[in-house]
Amino acid sequence: FVPFDEGAAQNQDAQNAKETKQATRKDRVETQQDAPRSGLNRLALSRYGQKLTQWHGHPIAVHIPNGVLPMSFIFVLLASFFKSATLATVAQYNMGFVALSMPIVIGTGLIDWVNGFKGKMTRVFRTKMICAGIVTLLSLTLVVWGIVRPGIYTGALSENWLFLTLHVTNLAAAIVAGWQGGKLVFRK
C-alpha cells in the first residue's frame, strides 16, 4: 500500500503542463526556422496570421475573383454583342472589383503557404503565384484600358482582338490557379 500524496500529484501535473508548453514552443521555433525569414514569416506566424489560416481566410478571399472574373468576361461578351454601355460598365466595375480583391487574395495565400506548407516552394505554389500575378496585372491593365478608352467594351471584339485575348488570358490564369488550389485542398 502506497499512500496518496496530493502535493506530489499537483507537482506532476504542473511538470506535465510545463513540458507540453515547452514542446509547443519548440514546434513553433522549428516552424519559424523552416519558413522563409521575412516580414511575411513574422505576420504568418503571428496570432493574426494563425487566425486567418484557422478561419480559412484564403479560400474565402479567393472566391471573390474566381466568381466575379467569369461574370466580367460574360458581361464583356454581352456588351460587345448588344452594344450596351450599361453591360460595359458592369463588366468594367466587376474587373475593378477583381483588381481590388487580388492583394487580399495574394496576402492570405502567402500566409497560408507559410502556415500550412512551411513556405516550401513547389511547382504548384510557383504556378499559383505566377497566375495570381497575371490576374492582378491583367485586371489592372483592363480597368485602366477601359477608363482611357471607354468605347472598347462596346466595340466589335473582332476589332479588339488584343482586348479579348487579355480577358481570356486573365480568366485562364484564374482557372489554373483555382485548379492548383483544388489539388492542395482535395489531394487526390
Side-chain angles (χ1 to χ4, degrees), residues 44-70:
L45 296 172
S46 72
R47 183 172 52 140
Y48 301 111
Q50 296 293 318
K51 288 292 182 189
L52 270 174
T53 298
Q54 177 186 351
W55 291 339
H56 309 289
H58 181 66
I60 292 169
V62 81
H63 279 83
I64 295 169
N66 280 353
V68 176
L69 190 58

Side-chain angles (χ1 to χ4, degrees), residues 15-108:
Q15 181 65 27
N16 289 343
K18 185 177 178 181
E19 288 173 5
T20 301
K21 189 174 183 179
Q22 288 172 343
T24 303
R25 188 176 300 130
K26 181 181 176 188
D27 291 342
R28 191 177 307 128
V29 168
E30 287 175 2
T31 302
Q32 289 173 346
Q33 290 170 350
D34 290 343
R37 296 215 182 266
S38 66
L40 170 64
N41 185 35
R42 286 189 297 279
L43 175 62
L45 296 172
S46 72
R47 183 172 52 140
Y48 301 111
Q50 296 293 318
K51 288 292 182 189
L52 270 174
T53 298
Q54 177 186 351
W55 291 339
H56 309 289
H58 181 66
I60 292 169
V62 81
H63 279 83
I64 295 169
N66 280 353
V68 176
L69 190 58
M71 291 308 301
S72 180
F73 180 71
I74 290 170
F75 285 129
V76 165
L77 295 177
L78 292 173
S80 178
F81 183 74
F82 292 113
K83 308 286 187 231
S84 169
T86 302
L87 291 174
T89 302
V90 171
Q92 189 169 8
Y93 282 152
N94 280 338
M95 190 59 67
F97 194 68
V98 169
L100 291 173
S101 70
M102 286 308 293
I104 296 167
V105 171
I106 292 169
T108 56

